[in-house]
Amino acid sequence: MAEVVFPFPFPENLELILPEIILAVMGMVVLLMSVFLSVSRQNIVAGVSIATVIAVGASVLYVSGSDASTTFYGYFVLDPFAVYAKLLIAIATVFAMMLSLNYVKDEANVGEYYTIMLFASLGMMLMVSATNFVTMYLGLELMALSVYVLVGYQRDVLRSTEAALKYFILGALSSCMLLYGLTFLYGSTGSFIFTEMGDIISNSGEDQRLAVLTGMLFVLAGLSFKVSVAPFHMWTPDAYEGAPTPITAFMSVAPKVAGLVVFMRILVDVFPGLQAEYTTILMFLAVLSMAVGNIAAIAQRNIKRMLAYSTIGHIGFILLGLIAGSNDGYAGILIYMTIYLFMTMGVFAIIIMMRRDEIQGELLDDFAGLSRVRPGYALAMGLLMFSMAGIPFLGGFWAKYAVFIAVIEADHIILATLGVLFSAIGAFYYIRIVKYMYFDEERVSFNFAKSAPLQVIVVLTTLVIVAIGIYPEPVMAMCRLALAGLV
Amino acid sequence: MVLEATEMTLNTTELLAIPLLPLLGALTAGLFGWFLKERLSHIITSGSVILAAILSVHVFLQVLDGAEFYGNFWTWIASGDLVVQIGMMIDPLTTIMMMTVTVVSACVHIYTIGYMHGDPGYARFFSYISAFTFSMLVLVMGNSFFTLFFGWEAVGLFSYLLIGFWFKRDSANKAAMKAFIVNRVGDFGFAIGILAVWYYFGTVDYREVFAQVQGLVASGSTMSFLGWEMDTITFICLALFVGAMGKSGQVPLHVWLPDSMEGPTPISALIHAATMVTAGVFMVARLSPMFEYSEVALAAVVIVGAITAFMCATIGLVQNDIKRVIAYSTCSQLGYMFVACGVSAYSAGIFHLMTHAYFKALLFLAAGSVIHAVMSNQDIRKMGQLRKYMPITYITMLLAGLALAGIPPFAGYYSKDLIIEATYARGMGWTSEIAYYALMSGVFMTAFYTFRMFFLTFHNSDRVPAATKSHLHESPWVITLPLVILAVGAVVAGYWGYHYMNMADEVIVDGYFRNSIFVMDAHNSIAMLEMLEEDHTQSHFWLEYGAFVLAVLGILTATLMYFKETKVPAAIAKTFRPIHTFLYNKWYWDELYDFLFVRPIQKLGQFFWQTGDLRLIDKGMIHGGIIGTVKNGAAMLKNIQSGMVYHYAYAMVIGVFGLLTYLMLNA
């Protein structure tokens, strides 16, 4: 018997990708399960999926160490930074799955739905652990393809399929841009590994400069698309509106976390020599995003569209942290993402609960008079909206505080002023919902979906937001700790 | 959890329980009061405060044996250089405050059960006073300027809420606002003081700040404030003292305190006599390591205290509202405490603070008992001969009155006498001399107005309106029990503190306060006093017995004029009509402020509202400018969002090429 010989030495530290392995295996198991289970027992599939993601979260903690360790010949890294991002992604996925429990119950192919969600989070986890553009692109496309399918999950709903198609076409365009940019970078440096490229770019001469800059611009544009930065944001409102609401919640948090983590890694590792240039680009993108997000949201009547613009606005604020380019700035991004995760999930849970037989519960008017019928939910929604607007002492305040203070310390006073101005404009449409709930007469009778998971999410997220608002230090300390891996 | 702690530590769980128990009670009663009803609400809140009082006494006894605690529990915010930690500093100065606050608060809680019975806001009231107790404990137990500020603002908030507790009464709302706004003025100074501490010392932690004070003074650091050059330490102390003036009702920021009597009487006893208003005195004593280094600030404290002690006593002579008489007396007595601090007899000031807490709370609660009996009438002209109906209230109020007037062996005698003698011995020049005479004349007036009020209420002729007559009765036991408990305090606190606790000892290290108060040798007025008394070459009769003689004279005068109904008061009022009117109108402070601030600010507000807000912003900018632009922008963006994929792709491509062009031109 001939001995089996690997063409490469067996990778060391392979246990680091345990979470990804669990996701990949369980994704397929879930798909098979749903085929063999009868229609009435499909909720087992959901339960198994949720348990899987929780196990993934636990396994991330299990395999993580206090330092960065790599596997696959240094192509995959697990540092505190990646661990924190993976935990956020896992939490977001669990929440989104819990939101889906009632929503997709009546649809066929439940198994596909959860399988694809698992694969989407697999893609994101690969992204945040990537140390080179190949791994990163692999994860990115796995995530993107999964999300395209999820957006168009309701095949017989015109709005849903239209949104998916638009998202797919534009997504393909953005991938083209990303790849096009990569060819420039590879051409100039001859490497795909972040840190190696960074060294070469920092030391490259004037003749390489234009190629590198062009490459960087296209890469940033491609990534900006994924995190809905204006002017690459146009798909967002349509996709948000068309997607099933739990998927809207999912895609407004998890891919953004993954995308921003890649953003941070690339800026820190690949382009440290081009800080002045990319800061200018980011400033333009940040101001445009804050403006588009916060101003366009005012004109929306559909709350999912409004939240789409709200995401764009929030991403604009988050970019301020990148512009600051300091440890405080990056920590501010993590803090922002953490708090944003909880706020968004809470709001979407309330929106899903408002879905009634005929009405989707998606128009702003539907919230009128909520305080009199459901004072508890109205209070939770009110707190979440105030938090989104950044009113102290709620979580959202500290999120904005963290990035604003970082950008002020980096001496971008004008940018900080603009940020505060746009967040004041943004406060208008958040607080408008509070006005609808508390001061307007009820228009349609409410028939809240009674669902324990949704109630749990609403209560939990609201409590977290209030708790962070009163005592932000633990979260802030955690985020600062997580940064140790990056810089 | 505890980052650093001193040698003999106290149990941290116990220390944390003391403020957190009242907070828990407050939250329970506040959030679930609708469900708990009256009985459970008061059991939970009073129970937790009584427990806190017991724990405080326990801590007090341990501290007496030499235990101390200093440490941080949590980091609340850490952002760059700014690290805000929450910790405690427990030493003799803290424990005497903790014990006073919790014991008086417990008495007031029990009293409230009877006093507020049947009020629609019953649970809310208990929630507020428990929350107030929590805030006050944070104020005294904290180990940094941050916790001090938190407690300071929180007690202010609950004071506001409780003064305006009967929010349907217009006068209560106005009084609450007045208290809040006047305190804003003081707190502004206070905040500036704390920011200056942060700026110059780089920390807000007491110990770290105190350790640096000497260095700062030695470096001769000065700063310019509004073009006025002064020592940094003087500036900081004066700014902090402005806060103390606001909170402790010192002239010219005293105007809110008498008006705060609009609140329910238990509040007047707890907040506006025993605890919150003394926060300023506590703060000055706590910060003695800073004030000691600024002669100017100490002199300012003496002057303000002396003026207040004198002026408020004169106003108290002629007021007819039973609670207002006591309120002006409170201002006046707080003035005594500040004079004590100003002449560096901090121990005497805190000693008087403690005795005053007992007898003044008692006076208020007894007055409340009277008001309760005569159906919410507060005018002493419509009382008289009440002793027949309410013997317990009568006796306890008599004891409190004697204590306030300063008759031995009641509590006020020891502490007040000590302040006056220390002021005399200190010899700061004209400041302490003026203060001495102001305090001495204050003693006479205090005795007079106290017994004027007392006789008009319980003796004199029966002037109770016939309608209320049938209602007259002694209050139930929940009201009289706290009176009796506090009466014990009013009688023995002075003797106990003076003879057993050594609260008045000259060298701080040997006395009760150990190292918790810092006094420079050159300022040690109590040591000076002892030296003076040991000097037998001259007579000390006037120094030692002067205050006592004046107090007796004051009581005698009051007896002559008011024990029986006479024509003397009316005759005197007629002869000295201008003075009487002047005093009766409280030196016209309210009218002065009305003219100087209230009306101009109202006019300014009118201008901003009509011209600035309505015309400029609403009409000019909103309907034309900003909102219009935003609205148009929003509509435009909505139009751009056409739904066409090629439009979206176009935007992306344009974006990329725009940026590329920019980079190429600038690279």
Side-chain angles (χ1 to χ4, degrees), chain B residues 208-269:
Chain B
E208 290 171 25
V209 171
F210 294 165
Q212 293 178 42
V213 171
Q214 211 169 358
L216 182 81
V217 175
S219 74
S221 157
T222 58
M223 63 172 290
S224 154
F225 180 70
L226 300 176
W228 186 21
E229 196 77 12
M230 62 169 109
D231 288 345
T232 306
I233 192 74
T234 300
F235 172 77
I236 293 175
C237 289
L238 284 178
L240 292 170
F241 181 60
V242 170
M245 284 161 65
K247 193 111 300 183
S248 297
Q250 297 297 293
V251 173
L253 299 179
H254 68 290
V255 287
W256 66 273
L257 187 53
D259 283 23
S260 74
M261 297 300 131
E262 284 295 335
T265 308
I267 294 320
S268 312

Side-chain angles (χ1 to χ4, degrees), chain B residues 131-139 148-162 183 247 271-272 275-277 279:
Chain B
F132 167 79
T133 311
F134 158 74
S135 324
M136 192 66 204
L137 285 168
V138 171
L139 193 159
L148 179 70
F149 187 73
F150 173 85
W152 195 269
E153 293 300 324
V155 291
L157 168 67
F158 287 110
S159 161
Y160 164 79
L161 290 172
L162 284 162
N183 267 302
K247 193 111 300 183
I271 302 184
H272 305 117
T275 57
M276 181 188 87
V277 290

Side-chain angles (χ1 to χ4, degrees), chain B residues 614-660:
Chain B
L614 287 184
R615 280 223 197 118
L616 256 160
I617 295 180
D618 279 7
K619 272 200 192 139
M621 289 165 77
I622 291 191
H623 295 293
I626 295 175
I627 293 287
T629 316
V630 171
K631 256 190 180 165
N632 290 340
M636 190 189 77
L637 287 170
K638 205 177 170 172
N639 285 338
I640 291 177
Q641 193 75 29
S642 58
M644 304 295 172
V645 174
Y646 56 91
H647 286 167
Y648 296 0
Y650 185 66
M652 286 167 68
V653 173
I654 286 285
V656 168
F657 282 100
L659 286 170
L660 196 60

Side-chain angles (χ1 to χ4, degrees), chain B residues 154-206:
Chain B
V155 291
L157 168 67
F158 287 110
S159 161
Y160 164 79
L161 290 172
L162 284 162
I163 295 171
F165 181 76
W166 286 312
F167 52 80
K168 286 178 184 159
R169 266 196 217 165
D170 194 36
S171 59
N173 278 327
K174 279 189 178 149
M177 267 164 63
K178 188 169 175 183
F180 203 76
I181 292 167
V182 174
N183 267 302
R184 267 332 67 209
V185 179
D187 290 355
F188 185 64
F190 190 61
I192 288 181
I194 290 179
L195 292 175
V197 166
W198 163 249
Y199 183 77
Y200 282 101
F201 298 103
T203 173
V204 288
D205 187 284
Y206 284 152

Side-chain angles (χ1 to χ4, degrees), chain B residues 198-443:
Chain B
W198 163 249
Y199 183 77
Y200 282 101
F201 298 103
T203 173
V204 288
D205 187 284
Y206 284 152
R207 275 201 179 170
E208 290 171 25
V209 171
F210 294 165
Q212 293 178 42
V213 171
Q214 211 169 358
L216 182 81
V217 175
S219 74
S221 157
T222 58
M223 63 172 290
S224 154
F225 180 70
L226 300 176
W228 186 21
E229 196 77 12
M230 62 169 109
D231 288 345
T232 306
I233 192 74
T234 300
F235 172 77
I236 293 175
C237 289
L238 284 178
L240 292 170
F241 181 60
V242 170
M245 284 161 65
K247 193 111 300 183
S248 297
Q250 297 297 293
V251 173
L253 299 179
H254 68 290
V255 287
W256 66 273
L257 187 53
D259 283 23
S260 74
M261 297 300 131
E262 284 295 335
T265 308
I267 294 320
S268 312
L270 177 63
I271 302 184
H272 305 117
T275 57
M276 181 188 87
V277 290
T278 61
V281 181
F282 165 78
M283 190 260 281
V284 175
R286 174 92 284 170
L287 304 181
S288 55
M290 299 173 73
F291 279 83
E292 278 296 290
Y293 284 99
S294 173
E295 303 281 344
V296 180
L298 286 178
V301 174
V302 171
I303 293 292
V304 169
I307 292 176
T308 311
F310 178 79
M311 185 188 290
C312 291
T314 59
I315 298 173
L317 294 174
V318 296
Q319 298 302 313
N320 288 323
D321 182 319
I322 186 168
K323 284 178 73 181
R324 267 174 197 264
V325 175
I326 313 177
Y328 276 106
S329 161
T330 305
C331 282
S332 168
Q333 295 299 313
L334 288 164
Y336 278 79
M337 298 176 208
F338 276 113
V339 171
C341 293
V343 299
S344 301
Y346 302 99
S347 53
I350 296 294
F351 182 29
H352 193 51
L353 188 165
M354 179 195 70
T355 56
H356 175 261
Y358 292 117
F359 63 69
K360 190 51 74 62
L362 174 55
L363 267 183
F364 265 120
L365 293 186
S369 173
V370 169
I371 294 166
H372 202 59
V374 295
M375 302 177 76
S376 302
N377 163 41
Q378 303 192 3
D379 191 336
I380 44 178
R381 285 170 301 189
K382 292 184 188 150
M383 297 178 188
Q385 290 292 350
L386 291 181
R387 71 174 187 284
K388 293 179 204 154
Y389 305 100
M390 18 194 4
I392 302 177
T393 309
Y394 170 67
I395 291 174
T396 49
M397 197 155 184
L398 175 63
L399 295 174
L402 289 169
L404 172 59
I407 302 296
F410 302 103
Y413 166 74
Y414 294 96
S415 49
K416 193 156 64 170
D417 223 39
L418 189 65
I419 293 176
I420 296 170
E421 291 177 16
T423 310
Y424 179 83
R426 174 71 170 82
M428 289 167 84
W430 61 273
T431 42
S432 67
E433 249 165 62
I434 289 180
Y436 177 70
Y437 291 113
L439 298 191
M440 282 296 259
S441 52
V443 170

Side-chain angles (χ1 to χ4, degrees), chain A residues 166 170 173 177 213 217-218 221 225 232 234 237-238 280-281 284 295-296 298-299 305 309 398 401 470-471 473 480, chain B residues 74-79 630 633-634 637-638 640-641 643 645 648-649 651-653 655-656 659-660 662-664 667:
Chain A
K166 277 182 193 166
L170 295 171
L173 179 61
M177 288 181 175
L213 276 179
L217 180 68
F218 276 97
F225 176 87
F232 310 102
M234 305 285 274
D238 292 5
T280 323
I281 299 179
F284 172 76
I295 292 176
I298 291 174
R305 281 188 90 85
Y309 283 108
W398 294 109
Y401 173 83
I470 295 168
Y471 189 35
E473 185 50 30
R480 279 192 293 266
Chain B
W74 297 289
T75 302
W76 187 52
I77 306 170
S79 173
V630 171
L637 287 170
K638 205 177 170 172
I640 291 177
Q641 193 75 29
V645 174
Y648 296 0
M652 286 167 68
V653 173
V656 168
L659 286 170
L660 196 60
Y662 171 84
L663 277 183
M664 288 190 163

